[in-house]
Amino acid sequence: MKLTYFIYSVLFIVLLSGCKTTFKSKWTNFNAYYNTYYNAKESYEAGLEKNLNQQRDYNPLQPIRIHHKPLNAGSQDFEKAIQKGADVLRRYDDSKWVDNAVGLIGKSYYFRQEYFSADQKFKELFVTTKDVDLQQESIIWQGRVLLEMELHNEGVAFLSEQLSLQSEIWSKSRRAEAKALLAQHHVQLENWQIAATELSEALPELKQKEYRERGYFLLGQIYERIGNTEAAFEAYDQVSDHYVEYRVQYLAQRKKAEVARELGRNEVAYRIFNDMVRDDKNLDYKSELDFELARTQHERGEFKRAERSYNNVLRNKFSKPSAEIAARSYNGLAEIYRFQYNDFKKAAAYYDSAAQRKVPDERLPEEFNAGELAESFGSYARIKKDIALQDSLLRLGQMNKQEFDSVITQLRQKKLEELERLREQQKDQQNQLVNVNKNEENTQEATNMTNGFLNANNPVMQQNARQQFFAIWGDRPLADNWRVRDLIDLSSISQDSAAQNGGDTGNQPEMLQVQIDLSRIPFTKNEQDSVKQKIAAAQYELGNLFFLSLNMPDSAIHYFNNAIENPSSENVNMVSLYSLSELYSSQDDKNEAVKYAYRLIEQYPNSVYATRVSEAFGLEKPQQDLESKDIMERYRAIITSDSVSTAVKADSLKSMSLENIDHKIAPRALFESIQAYTQDGKKYDLYNSKVDDWINKRYRWEERKSNLQTIKDSARTVLNDTTATLTDVERDSLQALVDSTLKQPDFSEDFPYIGASWDSARAAVDTFLVVFKKSDLKPRIDRLDQELAIPVKEKEPVEVEETQDLPQEPPSGNTENNEYVKCAEVEEGLEIRGGMDAFMQYIDLPEDIRNEQVTYLFRVNQRGILDEFVLQTDNVPEEITSAFETAFEEEISFEPMLINGQAEKVECALSFPLRN
């Protein structure tokens, strides 16, 4: 009996223990789900909804993403999901929800853009879970993390390996998603063909409809890049079969029409765009679609119609175009005027308008280069205008006296008529001014002290001032020289004559006088030859512009030929012949290339260009004397060397130039040295950070000066108009405006050309202007000299007590206090540019000299320019000091003194030998 009871007791305990274990496990799972994991999942889904519902901006010019990039929305919800998920891992580590919690935490980290933490969780999930679906999910999410971290090579390797090794675990939809991710990694690496293959295999099996919608759009973009335009059209067409997001559908239709245009199906493209314009859902995209219609008309050859359509896009007040559409519309107009109308001036203006629109590069087509073309065509317009002016002046100078007098008479009469018209127009405007002033008197009562100082904020007065401005000036054209100031001296309008006649001369146009500026007309043969050389140089510039910048070789040939056919300088003729030979060679026309090469060798046998063409075409090399040949070889060796730094190359060219001042290549070598110094100076971050601010600040200053001058000219014209009826207050106000000035801002803070390289460039410029005054390169050096000049900072006045003794000599010390560093303190000496021997050639000394040498104390600025000098040697004859001091004022300059890499102002003594 006792034995039976014991057996039953044991069996009961065992059964009870088994039920307790099962019950505890179920209770743990239940509690983990409803109290913790369920709440974590709810927080994650709330954050996910906020994140995915954010407005996305798609750029059709860049490959779009199938899997959206995480945004910042829902961050707090994801943080709660992470905390709740962590509670599952801490409190219910034996629960069946542990793997789900790990995956949920990883996704939350992903959408919080904490990609490293997300990657760790997905790796942990892949290793710990036995659930095949969760393993596939972890691989896909690791691929997404690598995509966001831009680790595309790692992403390709990882996904390719998992798709191969884990082939048995993949479902069709998840395998398709993994391949879509793999395709996106290949897109970022620009492996277009592989991406197209992977994506085309994945798209039919993708489960999410929005993935298929964006996927087919991406496939169309990929096909465009590999040149399969027909396949791109089909891919964009399939986007409409997977409608989820209207913006993607709209862009797909737009791209479909663009691709049709590329295929030459302009009618199909026009029909698609026209249907889209008529669709009310596209009202917000009207300017884009109107532009695409204009572009289609452009491609169809309907240029006049396209021009009107482009202008309609730009002028539509109800559907203002974005900066991107405006830029592309101006660019389209520029292309029409460039290629169809051959009006390069207007093309330049439209390219400039396109370039002024601030649009990120990634939102514009790759071939969009309006900025460069605006500069190139602007240069064309400037040079053509200069050629036309010089040609007109030359024709006037070559006329006989009778023809010349006739032209001047006609020109004077034309200007008189124009002045009379302007005066009549001003009278009409003054009548309007009277009416405006009457209105202003009626509104004075509306002003009070609450409208700011002098009632500047009074809206009534502001409107009246606006009306008064337009009453005087009207809607004048925004163009240069609108007052007909060219070649006319308005100050020559004879006010004395009017005073002598005792009245208003407004109705007597014969009293107006104009003075024609004849100073620029070349009357002598030398002047005419100089103008012809200017024209030839401009022709060469145009040829160079068409050859190098605009890729229009036929136009380049035309202008190069003009340059060599007209009387030109030696340098212009030489480089034009070389350019023609090079240009024909690039077109595989060897006969013409060799013809110009022979002419170059015949006319300039010792030039570097002759050597180049002789080597290029295997022609007989020009004969050179040995010394000149060695110098040229040294010059070419320095120029073509790639083994030394830019700074070293600049120093070498400068030394070579100054050692061979009399050689024809010396000015060119020094010019190349300056170019090398500036190139080296641009490498430093300080230059890159300041140059934009420097340019913009100076542009704004010039614009302010120009605007003020325009207003002052207008006020001066009104004051000088004897027919104008002005009150004393108005006259005083206008006179104050005429006398007003602007204070120049301090540019020194933004000056970008600072540092040792720029100091060396300035020193080389100064040397060039002293040594090679007659070089053809001097105009270019003059412009560089102006550009690189260090702006002078305005000094603050220093108050000095009357009893304070002022120093007679500037003390030595730091140049930051505008003081001079003494050479003795830094153990350095001054070096004359060009050398002592070259300078002494300018000194005409008497034969009977008693002194062995003469010593001067020099104070020299940072650029090596002499500020002042003091004689240090006693009992020097006056004829010697006079010869030296004349040379100091006209010829001498020094190499800049570099101390710790910085050019400094120095005070140094230097002795000059008086006997050989």
Side-chain angles (χ1 to χ4, degrees):
M1 183 70 178
K2 290 182 178 180
L3 180 60
T4 304
Y5 177 78
F6 176 75
I7 292 171
Y8 280 115
S9 299
V10 171
L11 291 173
F12 177 76
I13 291 170
V14 170
L15 291 172
L16 185 61
S17 299
C19 293
K20 183 177 181 181
T21 301
T22 303
F23 178 76
K24 180 179 179 182
S25 176
K26 290 181 178 179
W27 172 254
T28 298
N29 285 329
F30 176 81
N31 194 46
Y33 180 78
Y34 281 100
N35 290 346
T36 312
Y37 178 72
Y38 177 80
N39 292 334
K41 189 176 180 181
E42 287 287 304
S43 297
Y44 168 76
E45 290 177 351
L48 182 65
E49 183 177 3
K50 293 176 183 177
N51 201 287
L52 297 183
N53 285 342
Q54 294 296 304
Q55 186 70 32
R56 304 280 173 164
D57 181 26
Y58 298 101
N59 181 7
L61 297 177
Q62 300 294 325
I64 71 168
R65 289 276 296 274
I66 298 175
H67 297 81
H68 275 153
K69 188 178 182 69
L71 302 177
N72 293 325
S75 180
Q76 294 182 351
D77 294 308
F78 292 127
E79 179 61 31
K80 291 180 182 178
I82 291 171
Q83 294 174 359
K84 293 293 184 181
D87 286 344
V88 173
L89 302 183
R90 285 193 300 268
R91 297 168 55 189
Y92 307 104
D93 57 346
D94 58 346
S95 167
K96 70 177 183 178
W97 305 108
V98 168
D99 291 342
N100 299 77
V102 172
L104 193 67
I105 293 171
K107 295 175 188 176
S108 299
Y109 276 130
Y110 172 84
F111 283 105
R112 281 176 58 84
Q113 302 177 36
E114 300 176 23
Y115 300 123
F116 181 78
S117 299
D119 186 57
Q120 295 300 312
K121 284 300 176 184
F122 292 132
K123 287 179 179 177
E124 177 185 339
L125 176 62
F126 181 78
V127 172
T128 59
T129 187
K130 296 180 181 178
D131 189 319
V132 173
D133 289 338
L134 289 178
Q135 282 185 335
Q136 296 176 62
E137 186 175 311
S138 71
I139 293 171
I140 289 172
W141 282 95
Q142 284 183 71
R144 292 184 66 169
V145 168
L146 292 171
L147 188 62
E148 302 305 336
M149 295 174 73
E150 299 183 1
L151 300 174
H152 305 300
N153 286 312
E154 291 87 338
V156 168
F158 171 74
L159 289 169
S160 298
E161 181 182 23
Q162 294 301 325
L163 284 167
S164 176
L165 297 178
Q166 308 292 335
S167 57
E168 69 280 355
I169 72 169
W170 290 104
S171 66
K172 286 185 178 181
S173 61
R174 290 191 181 277
R175 182 180 181 84
E177 187 172 355
K179 290 178 78 66
L181 278 166
L182 178 60
Q184 290 176 87
H185 281 290
H186 280 299
V187 165
Q188 297 302 318
L189 294 172
E190 298 186 1
N191 300 328
W192 305 113
Q193 189 58 62
I194 301 175
T197 302
E198 297 289 352
L199 189 56
S200 58
E201 292 178 6
L203 283 172
E205 303 296 338
L206 282 177
K207 184 177 180 180
Q208 292 93 329
K209 193 174 182 180
E210 62 270 22
Y211 287 176
R212 296 196 300 273
E213 179 184 48
R214 295 193 289 269
Y216 277 109
F217 191 94
L218 175 60
L219 185 61
Q221 292 178 306
I222 295 171
Y223 279 135
E224 277 194 271
R225 278 163 173 76
I226 61 179
N228 193 342
T229 315
E230 193 69 52
F233 183 88
E234 296 298 329
Y236 289 129
D237 188 49
Q238 292 185 65
V239 174
S240 61
D241 296 335
H242 311 278
Y243 190 119
V244 174
E245 190 175 355
Y246 182 73
R247 176 64 177 170
V248 178
Q249 295 292 323
Y250 162 78
L251 290 176
Q253 286 295 103
R254 211 179 94 183
K255 292 293 292 182
K256 180 181 172 183
E258 289 177 14
V259 170
R261 201 164 56 202
E262 291 180 22
L263 289 168
R265 304 173 187 171
N266 290 318
E267 295 300 328
V268 174
Y270 191 84
R271 185 173 62 252
I272 294 173
F273 284 130
N274 197 40
D275 291 343
M276 293 176 74
V277 169
R278 296 169 181 269
D279 193 336
D280 292 339
K281 296 192 295 296
N282 295 326
L283 188 61
D284 292 339
Y285 308 122
K286 188 175 187 310
S287 63
E288 295 179 19
L289 295 172
D290 286 342
F291 163 76
E292 294 295 351
L293 279 172
R295 190 68 192 171
T296 306
Q297 292 164 352
H298 191 165
E299 296 291 336
R300 291 165 70 179
E302 301 171 357
F303 302 115
K304 286 293 184 183
R305 190 178 177 190
E307 182 183 358
R308 289 194 299 271
S309 298
Y310 283 134
N311 282 311
N312 289 338
V313 171
L314 294 167
R315 297 169 184 170
N316 193 330
K317 297 179 180 180
F318 302 101
S319 181
K320 190 175 181 180
S322 64
E324 170 195 345
I325 295 301
R328 297 182 68 187
S329 297
Y330 280 121
N331 195 71
L333 287 167
E335 289 179 354
I336 291 176
Y337 276 91
R338 174 188 178 184
F339 294 111
Q340 307 306 322
Y341 302 161
N342 289 321
D343 189 340
F344 290 168
K345 292 183 180 180
K346 281 195 175 181
Y350 282 125
Y351 277 129
D352 185 63
S353 297
Q356 293 302 318
R357 273 33 187 195
K358 303 299 182 183
V359 185
D361 291 341
E362 63 271 12
R363 301 202 69 87
L364 292 169
E366 293 181 5
E367 66 275 8
F368 187 92
N369 58 343
E372 297 177 12
L373 291 172
E375 183 177 353
S376 298
F377 280 105
S379 298
Y380 167 84
R382 173 183 56 79
I383 297 170
K384 284 288 287 186
K385 181 179 179 181
D386 185 57
I387 290 175
L389 174 62
Q390 297 297 334
D391 191 55
S392 298
L393 293 172
L394 184 62
R395 286 201 302 271
L396 285 171
Q398 293 173 337
M399 289 179 179
N400 58 45
K401 188 177 186 306
Q402 186 176 9
E403 291 175 331
F404 181 80
D405 290 342
S406 175
V407 170
I408 295 300
T409 301
Q410 293 176 14
L411 182 60
R412 182 177 285 111
Q413 182 61 34
K414 182 178 179 182
K415 300 305 181 183
L416 284 170
E417 292 173 357
E418 182 65 19
L419 281 174
E420 179 59 26
R421 187 188 65 79
L422 287 175
R423 292 186 60 172
E424 292 297 330
Q425 183 179 347
Q426 288 177 355
K427 288 181 183 179
D428 295 339
Q429 291 168 350
Q430 290 301 324
N431 292 334
Q432 298 178 29
L433 178 61
V434 172
N435 292 333
V436 171
N437 287 336
K438 289 181 178 179
N439 293 334
E440 183 177 351
E441 292 174 2
N442 295 332
T443 59
Q444 286 296 321
E445 298 176 358
T447 63
N448 54 64
M449 293 303 294
T450 63
N451 288 323
F453 181 67
L454 297 180
N455 295 304
N457 299 328
N458 188 321
V460 177
M461 293 188 67
Q462 288 177 347
Q463 183 62 27
N464 287 338
R466 178 180 175 83
Q467 292 176 3
Q468 182 173 334
F469 177 85
F470 280 105
I472 296 174
W473 303 115
D475 189 16
R476 68 176 179 83
L478 300 178
D480 293 338
N481 302 322
W482 69 280
R483 299 181 192 82
V484 198
R485 294 174 62 91
D486 189 27
L487 297 178
I488 298 180
D489 183 4
L490 289 178
S491 63
S492 64
I493 298 177
S494 178
Q495 297 179 357
D496 294 338
S497 298
Q500 292 172 6
N501 286 294
D504 180 16
T505 61
N507 295 322
Q508 300 179 29
E510 65 276 12
M511 296 301 297
L512 291 175
Q513 298 179 9
V514 294
Q515 181 178 348
I516 307 299
D517 182 9
L518 307 180
S519 62
R520 300 171 66 184
I521 299 176
F523 292 106
T524 67
K525 185 178 185 306
N526 288 338
E527 289 174 343
Q528 291 172 6
D529 289 343
S530 177
V531 170
K532 290 176 182 178
Q533 289 188 2
K534 288 181 181 179
I535 294 174
Q539 300 279 8
Y540 167 75
E541 281 191 69
L542 283 179
N544 221 27
L545 184 68
F546 281 109
F547 184 25
L548 300 178
S549 300
L550 299 178
N551 193 26
M552 299 173 67
D554 291 340
S555 297
I557 290 172
H558 169 76
Y559 286 110
F560 283 139
N561 275 311
N562 284 349
I564 62 177
E565 289 171 2
N566 295 322
S568 61
S569 66
E570 178 180 295
N571 188 59
V572 168
N573 198 53
M574 179 171 56
V575 294
S576 296
L577 288 169
Y578 177 75
S579 298
L580 281 166
S581 179
E582 188 180 29
L583 200 156
Y584 278 115
S585 179
S586 68
Q587 295 182 326
D588 296 326
D589 190 343
K590 188 175 180 180
N591 291 333
E592 287 296 314
V594 171
K595 182 182 79 173
Y596 286 104
Y598 270 125
R599 286 183 61 179
L600 178 59
I601 293 171
E602 180 182 349
Q603 295 180 32
Y604 309 101
N606 295 329
S607 69
V608 62
Y609 300 106
T611 303
R612 288 181 186 175
V613 295
S614 65
E615 292 174 352
F617 299 109
L619 305 177
E620 184 178 352
K621 291 185 177 181
Q623 296 297 318
Q624 295 179 318
D625 61 275
L626 186 60
E627 182 181 358
S628 177
K629 182 177 181 181
D630 290 341
I631 294 172
M632 293 303 303
E633 287 179 354
R634 180 182 172 190
Y635 170 75
R636 286 197 296 273
I638 297 173
I639 287 292
T640 57
S641 176
D642 295 327
S643 59
V644 297
S645 66
T646 308
V648 172
K649 183 180 291 188
D651 291 337
S652 301
L653 286 166
K654 181 179 178 182
S655 299
M656 194 211 83
S657 172
L658 297 181
E659 290 168 6
N660 303 277
I661 292 177
D662 296 329
H663 196 278
K664 66 170 60 179
I665 200 61
R668 169 60 61 177
L670 189 54
F671 175 77
E672 295 287 354
S673 170
I674 296 168
Q675 297 289 85
Y677 280 130
T678 60
Q679 183 180 353
D680 190 64
K682 293 177 182 179
K683 296 178 181 177
Y684 299 99
D685 294 335
L686 196 59
Y687 170 83
N688 294 325
S689 62
K690 285 192 172 184
V691 67
D692 288 339
D693 291 337
W694 166 256
I695 294 172
N696 292 334
K697 197 170 185 179
R698 289 203 304 174
Y699 174 80
R700 289 194 296 270
W701 167 242
E702 293 298 330
E703 190 175 39
R704 286 179 62 199
K705 288 198 300 182
S706 176
N707 292 339
L708 177 62
Q709 189 59 47
T710 299
I711 296 173
K712 290 171 68 173
D713 290 344
S714 303
R716 189 179 291 109
T717 302
V718 175
L719 286 172
N720 292 338
D721 188 354
T722 58
T723 65
T725 305
L726 299 175
T727 66
D728 291 340
V729 174
E730 290 170 339
R731 187 171 294 279
D732 291 343
S733 177
L734 289 171
Q735 186 60 50
L737 185 59
V738 169
D739 297 336
S740 62
T741 59
L742 288 174
K743 182 180 179 181
Q744 180 170 324
D746 182 13
F747 295 115
S748 59
E749 294 296 326
D750 299 310
F751 186 66
Y753 311 121
I754 56 176
S757 296
W758 293 107
D759 289 337
S760 298
R762 279 185 281 271
V765 166
D766 291 335
T767 301
F768 192 104
L769 294 175
V770 171
V771 178
F772 304 116
K773 296 178 181 179
K774 298 182 180 180
S775 170
D776 292 334
L777 295 169
K778 185 178 180 296
R780 299 173 69 177
I781 298 298
D782 285 335
R783 290 195 293 271
L784 268 174
D785 185 45
Q786 294 175 6
E787 178 65 21
L788 300 181
I790 298 175
V792 179
K793 191 170 184 178
E794 211 170 310
K795 299 179 181 179
E796 295 292 335
V798 180
E799 295 184 3
V800 183
E801 296 181 8
E802 293 183 1
T803 58
Q804 183 177 352
D805 294 331
L806 296 178
Q808 298 302 313
E809 297 289 337
S812 62
N814 195 315
T815 59
E816 292 181 356
N817 298 321
N818 294 322
E819 298 173 351
Y820 296 85
V821 174
K822 292 184 177 180
C823 288
E825 295 179 356
V826 294
E827 298 181 355
E828 295 285 351
L830 281 176
E831 294 183 16
I832 299 176
R833 285 190 182 136
M836 177 69 78
D837 293 339
F839 172 73
M840 292 300 295
Q841 294 178 6
Y842 294 105
I843 310 297
D844 187 13
L845 296 174
E847 296 181 358
D848 52 335
I849 301 176
R850 297 180 180 180
N851 304 72
E852 293 289 335
Q853 63 180 19
V854 61
T855 302
Y856 280 86
L857 179 69
F858 295 101
R859 295 189 180 96
V860 181
N861 68 15
Q862 294 97 325
R863 299 182 63 182
I865 305 302
L866 181 61
D867 287 343
E868 58 181 318
F869 56 87
V870 179
L871 178 64
Q872 300 286 293
T873 305
D874 296 330
N875 302 321
V876 180
E878 184 178 351
E879 55 184 340
I880 294 178
T881 59
S882 176
F884 269 98
E885 290 172 7
T886 299
F888 291 161
E889 293 174 356
E890 295 179 356
E891 301 294 343
I892 200 166
S893 62
F894 300 91
E895 296 292 342
M897 182 76 74
L898 297 180
I899 302 174
N900 297 325
Q902 182 68 37
E904 300 285 4
K905 298 167 64 176
V906 294
E907 178 184 277
C908 304
L910 186 63
S911 298
F912 298 86
L914 300 181
R915 299 181 181 178
N916 293 330

